């Protein structure tokens, strides 16, 4: 009998999900679990409890997992929680905020957009004023770390502004949960949405929402979709311990193992410290090579960094990407409407030594291409 071991020489993913996972997490997926079997029911209950504990939401909230990528979980939360005659205010300063607005549009739910520049967080006082002017708004939807740029939105102050106006907050915490503090005992929110394959370092295929229990209990019949109805998913989990429809059993098994490693590392504080150190090594090294981050440090999360592309006509992202891939690193193109950028993430099963090697690879790649790195900001 031969046993397939996962290839461990894949390039490292310097991307914000799917990201590089540990061999242990990948190996945990090599099981076939019956979706109705007691073992899987116990595994599901265990994951749900542990995610609530990480959120500081045990007792006040419930954790509802859903099949699919993070966007599926966001759409499920929006469609389940905002009543059909409700209205949402969406805070937009990047592609993920814009995606939330587009989701409401597709669902046919009334919404307004409060948009700021891609490098500018919303002003909580302006959000409060807007809510005061429009009593029809029931919910505010906001992105914690806007992965488009790596910008950290001031979620605590936004939560205070929203609660102060008696409205409800839905947080897309996809690229921050597990690495940046977001404790439900301190930050009032109705729901937080995340997935397995970002800072929790699981493999992709499931998302989840942490939802205030009384709020979810009142949401029967809201959802625009059968498969994305988190109220019904929750009721079934409470009744039988089972997911509705085939669950991603392998992904759930890998997530449980990823949570073991998360807890062993020291939880949110320790993971946040590792990513912050990854970030420091990355940015210091890239600045040394002449690259400039797009964002001012004051609004930059230690999750993903947008760098301005070199001000050299020979710069070609695909060539740069290929030169880095041959050296063992996968990066991300920019996702901005205005500035030319590329992105390098600091999250995943990556350590400061990996980031130092990534910076060396960037240096070798620019030599290979013959680039003159004098980015727009310094030119
Ligand atoms: C990754 C991410 C999502 C979900 O994207 P998917 O491609 O569906 O996984 C949503 N919001 C933010 C802020 C993200 O970083």
């Amino acid at each position: 009998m031969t046993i397939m071991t996962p290839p461990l020489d894949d390039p490292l993913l310097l991307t914000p999900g799917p990201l590089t996972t540990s061999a242990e997490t990948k190996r945990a997926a090599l099981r076939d679990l019956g979706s109705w079997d007691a073992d899987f029911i116990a595994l599901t209950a265990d994951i749900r409890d542990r995610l609530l504990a990480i959120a500081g939401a045990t007792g006040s909230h419930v954790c509802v997992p859903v099949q699919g990528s993070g966007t599926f979980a966001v759409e499920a939360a929006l469609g389940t929680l905002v009543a059909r005659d409700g209205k949402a205010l969406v805070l937009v300063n990047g592609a993920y905020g814009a995606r939330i607005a587009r989701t409401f549009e597709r669902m046919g739910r009334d919404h307004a957009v409060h948009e700021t520049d891609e490098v500018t967080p919303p002003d909580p006082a302006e959000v409060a004023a807007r809510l005061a002017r429009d009593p029809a708004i029931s919910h505010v939807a906001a992105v914690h770390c806007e992965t488009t740029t790596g910008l950290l939105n001031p979620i605590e102050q936004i939560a205070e502004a929203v609660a102060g106006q008696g409205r409800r907050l839905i947080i897309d915490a996809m690229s921050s949960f597990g690495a940046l503090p977001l404790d439900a005992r301190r930050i009032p929110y109705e729901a937080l949405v995340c997935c397995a394959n970002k800072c929790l370092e699981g493999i992709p295929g499931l998302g989840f929402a942490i939802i205030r229990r009384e709020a979810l209990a009142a949401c029967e019949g809201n959802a625009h979709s059968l498969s994305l109805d988190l109220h019904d998913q929750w009721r079934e989990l409470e009744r039988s311990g089972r997911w509705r429809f085939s669950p991603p059993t392998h992904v759930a098994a890998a997530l449980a193992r990823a949570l073991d490693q998360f807890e062993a590392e020291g939880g949110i504080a320790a993971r946040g410290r590792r990513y912050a150190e990854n970030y420091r090594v990355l940015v210091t090294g890239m600045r040394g090579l002449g690259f400039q981050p797009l964002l001012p440090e004051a609004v930059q999360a230690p999750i993903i960094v947008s760098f301005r592309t070199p001000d050299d006509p020979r710069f070609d992202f695909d060539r740069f990407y290929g030169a880095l891939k041959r050296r063992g690193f996968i990066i991300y193109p920019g996702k901005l409407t205005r500035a030319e950028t590329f992105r390098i993430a600091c999250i995943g099963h990556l350590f400061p030594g990996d980031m130092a090697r990534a910076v060396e690879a960037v240096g070798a790649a620019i030599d290979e291409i013959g680039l003159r790195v004098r980015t727009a900001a310094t030119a």
Side-chain angles (χ1 to χ4, degrees):
M1 189 181 81
T2 57
I3 295 174
M4 276 277 295
T5 50
L8 297 175
D9 54 354
D10 282 333
L12 293 183
L13 303 178
L14 306 182
T15 57
L19 36 64
T20 292
T21 55
S22 71
E24 193 183 339
T25 294
K26 283 188 275 285
R27 249 184 263 116
L30 298 178
R31 311 178 61 181
D32 295 315
L33 289 160
S35 61
W36 285 20
D37 186 78
D39 290 347
F40 186 68
I41 287 173
L43 178 80
T44 297
D46 175 57
I47 290 171
R48 292 177 65 213
D49 285 348
R50 290 161 85 184
L51 292 171
L52 275 181
I54 293 168
T58 304
S60 55
H61 294 63
V62 296
C63 174
V64 189
V66 65
Q67 298 89 333
S69 85
T71 303
F72 292 60
V74 172
E75 181 169 342
L78 301 175
T80 301
L81 295 172
V82 180
R84 294 193 185 208
D85 61 355
K87 179 176 180 182
L89 177 65
V90 188
L91 309 187
V92 176
N93 52 4
Y96 292 98
R99 187 179 295 175
I100 290 175
R102 196 141 47 90
T103 307
F104 280 126
E105 199 169 304
R106 194 61 83 85
M107 290 190 298
R109 299 269 158 106
D110 196 9
H111 64 284
V113 169
H114 179 84
E115 186 160 6
T116 48
D117 190 85
E118 282 160 332
V119 299
T120 310
D123 176 351
E126 277 177 30
V127 173
R130 181 130 190 193
L131 294 175
R133 283 199 304 275
D134 190 347
I137 294 171
S138 56
H139 288 77
V140 173
V143 179
H144 187 200
C145 170
E146 182 42 271
T147 321
T148 312
T149 50
L151 182 141
L152 186 66
N153 279 312
I155 205 68
E156 254 186 272
Q157 293 90 317
I158 292 170
E160 274 168 30
V162 173
Q165 293 294 323
R167 318 302 164 87
R168 299 150 169 242
L169 179 64
I170 300 173
I171 305 172
D172 172 349
M174 210 67 68
S175 61
S176 57
F177 185 75
L180 303 178
L182 196 63
D183 194 294
R185 289 162 294 202
R186 287 200 314 117
I187 300 176
Y189 63 77
E190 176 165 291
L192 170 159
V193 187
C194 189
C195 66
N197 59 294
K198 298 221 179 181
C199 299
L200 298 173
E201 300 185 4
I203 63 176
L206 76 83
F208 58 89
I210 308 273
I211 308 174
R212 193 169 289 285
R213 181 189 295 271
E214 300 92 83
L216 185 58
C219 288
E220 185 166 5
N222 272 356
H224 61 299
S225 157
L226 176 71
S227 56
L228 298 179
D229 186 336
L230 293 184
H231 174 273
D232 283 9
Q233 182 90 321
W234 172 54
R235 285 282 191 235
E236 186 59 33
L237 282 163
E238 297 289 294
R239 194 186 67 76
S240 65
R242 298 177 196 144
W243 301 49
R244 300 169 316 149
F245 322 132
S246 295
T249 48
H250 304 77
V251 180
L255 178 57
R257 190 65 60 83
L259 292 177
D260 294 342
Q261 294 158 78
F262 174 81
E263 287 156 11
E265 184 173 3
I268 293 178
R271 184 145 299 178
R273 271 197 304 275
R274 172 158 61 86
Y275 291 171
E277 186 58 13
N278 287 351
Y279 163 80
R280 196 189 60 75
V281 171
L282 173 69
V283 170
T284 306
M286 291 293 282
R287 280 192 197 277
L289 293 173
F291 288 94
Q292 289 301 322
L294 173 78
L295 295 177
E297 288 244 316
V299 296
Q300 170 76 61
I303 299 291
I304 183 168
V305 185
S306 296
F307 291 99
R308 295 180 185 274
T309 59
D311 188 22
D312 180 334
R314 282 167 299 186
F315 183 83
D316 171 67
F317 178 78
D318 293 339
R319 246 190 110 191
F320 186 55
Y321 179 96
L324 285 175
K325 181 175 175 185
R326 272 183 276 109
R327 290 173 172 82
F329 298 96
I330 299 283
I331 64 162
Y332 238 35
K335 199 174 187 172
L336 291 175
T337 50
R338 293 217 312 272
E340 290 286 323
T341 57
F342 62 88
R343 291 179 290 171
I344 301 184
C346 324
I347 61 177
H349 190 67
L350 298 172
F351 298 82
D354 296 315
M355 304 315 282
R357 288 193 303 110
V359 171
E360 271 174 38
V362 170
I366 56 181
D367 286 347
E368 176 189 314
I369 299 171
L371 279 178
R372 185 175 47 91
V373 183
R374 213 163 48 105
T375 57
T378 53

